Amino acid sequence: MAKQILVTGGLGFIGSHTVVELQNAGFDVVVIDDLSNTTIKVLDQITEITGTKPVFEQIDLRIKADVKAFFDKYQIDGIIHFAAFKAVGESMHKPLDYYENNLGSLVYLLQEMRDRKLDNFIFSSSCTVYGQADELPITEKAPVKKAESVYGNTKQIGEEIIEDATKAHDFKAIALRYFNPVGAHPTTKIGELPIGVPQNLIPFITQTAAGLRAELSVFGDDYDTPDGTAVRDYIHVVDLAKAHIAALQRLIDNNNKEKFEYFNVGTGTGSSVLEVINAFETANSLKLNYKIVDRRAGDITAAYADTTIANKELNWKTELSLETALKSAWEWQLKQK
Ligand code: WQD
């Protein structure tokens, strides 16, 4: 009997790619999404890739009664929780919406796990919890620093809530601290769907290359980095999705060493903004229109992962290159109307 996994935010960018990999690994999948930052079309696109349509429920996880009703209806063997607001800039203008949605929904899910003796919780966290780390590459021993954004704070507080819940109740959990997810599925049937003006680098690059944006603004070239532009660890979204399967299997097999664990999920390689632009131009044989402007408030100089622990404990490592990610991102963009 296949285990049934709930994926909240399962029609989102990382969520949809994780649903595909869960189905590929033989799990049954139930998706909850409130469709506030995606479209129902993604459900059919997932089905086209795997041939199996995930069960879907449109639920607002801020409504406790609806969360309870969901668990009255479905037997769940594990939860991968993506559903959250995630725009760093927006979070500074709407802090209470972010705390209500990102933390309220988390508490309601954990209460159902407690009350129904469910197990195996995977949490979508972020390297943003480290702020500007003192040492690079960033290991899991790096201190969590005061978040620079409300979004980042919801990830930090979320991890603390989960850790406290696993101490008090009978379930175990893993937080995956993502670096920068990029790219699209090789079938180009699913990918990143930013609504409005993209905040993140790669969708802004692909929309500029597609002529939807006049030019890319590079936020600062006066950082203490080799070419002056900020450095990040860009991980292909399919590799990131597979890390969730590895983490879930670790919990199902009771191979965890603590009731609450966290892992840095990146490639281990840092790339500057200019390096990404050059890689995008080379991979896709085009020239990108960009200009250097002032730094963006809240940005850090550099972040890239030490992947030693994740590679060993999850028996997982990245397999796809930045070039592959940038090609898939461009192919995905070309398919958008
Ligand atoms: C990457 C680099 C920018 C846009 C954030 C969150 C993280 C995760 C990913 C949700 C930076 C530069 C960007 C542009 C630019 N969010 N840039 N021009 O800020 O590293 O991470 O998004 O899961 O938690 O913190 O990602 O893609 O916004 O920026 O020069 O138009 O590209 O300054 O150096 P970031 P990003």
Side-chain angles (χ1 to χ4, degrees), residues 132 223-225 229-232 295 299-303:
Q132 177 55 70
Y223 285 99
D224 182 15
T225 63
T229 62
V231 170
R232 297 289 185 276
R295 294 182 180 191
D299 276 352
I300 59 169
T301 299

Side-chain angles (χ1 to χ4, degrees), residues 240-296:
L240 178 57
K242 289 179 176 175
H244 291 78
I245 314 314
L248 177 67
Q249 202 60 59
R250 177 181 175 88
L251 292 182
I252 289 172
D253 296 343
N254 292 302
N255 287 335
N256 55 301
K257 292 176 178 162
E258 309 288 338
K259 288 194 73 188
F260 175 64
E261 297 176 310
Y262 46 85
F263 299 103
N264 288 352
V265 182
T267 68
T269 301
S271 300
S272 74
V273 176
L274 287 179
E275 285 172 334
V276 171
I277 291 170
N278 294 336
F280 182 81
E281 291 179 325
T282 305
N284 299 304
S285 308
L286 51 80
K287 287 305 285 174
L288 195 72
N289 192 17
Y290 67 90
K291 66 180 177 185
I292 308 291
V293 300
D294 291 340
R295 294 182 180 191
R296 178 173 66 178

Side-chain angles (χ1 to χ4, degrees), residues 40 87 95 134 144 153 156 158 167 172 236 240 243 245 262 268 273 288 292:
I40 192 65
D134 300 325
V144 168
N153 205 29
Q156 289 181 5
K167 283 177 184 166
K172 49 192 187 294
H236 196 299
L240 178 57
I245 314 314
Y262 46 85
V273 176
L288 195 72
I292 308 291

Side-chain angles (χ1 to χ4, degrees), residues 118 128 263 325:
L118 302 181
T128 203
F263 299 103

Side-chain angles (χ1 to χ4, degrees), residues 104-291:
S105 59
L106 172 63
V107 168
Y108 293 156
L109 286 169
L110 296 175
Q111 286 174 330
E112 294 305 319
M113 292 192 74
R114 173 198 64 194
D115 298 347
R116 300 166 191 269
K117 305 222 178 309
L118 302 181
D119 200 355
N120 311 317
F121 190 81
I122 306 291
F123 180 61
S124 167
S125 189
S126 169
C127 66
T128 203
V129 302
Y130 297 113
Q132 177 55 70
D134 300 325
E135 290 178 33
L136 294 171
I138 303 173
T139 72
E140 285 81 354
K141 290 190 173 16
V144 168
K145 290 189 174 178
K146 177 159 177 42
E148 307 243 349
S149 70
V150 166
Y151 161 78
N153 205 29
T154 67
K155 291 303 180 183
Q156 289 181 5
I157 298 170
E159 288 193 7
E160 290 171 10
I161 290 171
I162 296 163
E163 182 170 23
D164 289 344
T166 59
K167 283 177 184 166
H169 305 300
D170 283 340
F171 58 83
K172 49 192 187 294
I174 288 176
L176 296 180
R177 293 174 175 175
Y178 309 156
F179 282 68
N180 288 58
V182 294
H185 195 265
T187 61
T188 57
K189 291 181 185 298
I190 52 176
E192 197 165 3
L193 266 179
I195 293 173
V197 178
Q199 297 303 303
N200 295 129
L201 178 64
I202 304 309
F204 208 107
I205 285 179
T206 60
Q207 289 192 12
T208 302
L212 300 175
R213 307 286 162 200
E215 66 182 352
L216 168 75
S217 296
V218 174
F219 296 142
D221 67 349
D222 58 350
Y223 285 99
D224 182 15
T225 63
D227 65 17
T229 62
V231 170
R232 297 289 185 276
D233 184 333
Y234 296 96
I235 176 171
H236 196 299
V237 64
V238 171
D239 278 331
L240 178 57
K242 289 179 176 175
H244 291 78
I245 314 314
L248 177 67
Q249 202 60 59
R250 177 181 175 88
L251 292 182
I252 289 172
D253 296 343
N254 292 302
N255 287 335
N256 55 301
K257 292 176 178 162
E258 309 288 338
K259 288 194 73 188
F260 175 64
E261 297 176 310
Y262 46 85
F263 299 103
N264 288 352
V265 182
T267 68
T269 301
S271 300
S272 74
V273 176
L274 287 179
E275 285 172 334
V276 171
I277 291 170
N278 294 336
F280 182 81
E281 291 179 325
T282 305
N284 299 304
S285 308
L286 51 80
K287 287 305 285 174
L288 195 72
N289 192 17
Y290 67 90
K291 66 180 177 185

